[in-house]
Amino acid sequence: MEQILYFIGQVLGIVAVILGFINYQMKTREQVLYIHIATTICFAFHYMLIGAYAGMAMNFVGFVRNLVFYYVGKNSKVGRGWAILFAVLMGTMGIVGWEAWYSVLAVVGLIINSYSMSFSNPNNIRKSILITSPLVLIYDAFALSIGGMIYESVVIISSIIGLVRFNREKK
């Protein structure tokens, strides 16, 4: 049964990879957050099923954060207070789910990511991914998260493509 759950967890990681690629090709902040909501919930269950509890805890916080940012951002600019609150919650959950020294990489990456999700410009979100994703990629390697490693690699590439694409459209 444990092996079946582990396999299901890895499959959920692959689903999250697909959503992640779609995510960073979206044009609007709302579209990015909407797809990111689905991505974080897939990853939360992925990490839970493979036994990577720091990743699970922080992705559940990320799920709630993305919901709040999505709905608050529809009516007004998301205040930095929300971003700071979720960064603190992310750090707290990272400590609660602590696995080993490498958990700090995911904690730092996702704290930065929580703050950057409040940016109103989707390109700034994409730029922040180039800082946060390498940290989480290293965590995923230690946690043996196949989907996570693929996801972070694809997200880095996808963010670069999005930055180039949308900068080219501006010109």
Side-chain angles (χ1 to χ4, degrees), residues 7-8 16 19-21 30 32 36 48 53 57-58 66-67 97 100 104 120 140-141 144-147 151 157 163 168:
F7 177 76
I8 292 170
L19 290 171
F21 185 75
E30 288 77 21
V32 168
H36 204 60
M48 179 181 74
Y53 298 111
M58 290 183 292
N66 293 339
L67 280 173
V104 75
S120 58
D140 286 332
L144 300 176
S145 169
I146 296 166
Y151 174 80
I157 293 166
L163 284 166
R168 202 177 290 161

Side-chain angles (χ1 to χ4, degrees), residues 12-73:
L12 279 174
I14 300 302
V15 170
V17 167
I18 294 165
L19 290 171
F21 185 75
I22 293 167
N23 185 24
Y24 295 102
Q25 299 307 309
M26 298 290 105
K27 267 191 172 179
T28 68
R29 179 186 171 282
E30 288 77 21
Q31 291 170 333
V32 168
L33 286 171
Y34 183 74
I35 300 296
H36 204 60
I37 288 167
T39 304
T40 54
I41 199 68
C42 282
F43 264 121
F45 286 107
H46 158 75
Y47 285 120
M48 179 181 74
L49 293 171
I50 69 166
Y53 298 111
M56 175 198 73
M58 290 183 292
N59 273 277
F60 277 124
V61 171
F63 167 71
V64 174
R65 174 204 63 204
N66 293 339
L67 280 173
V68 168
F69 284 8
Y70 180 80
Y71 287 107
V72 169

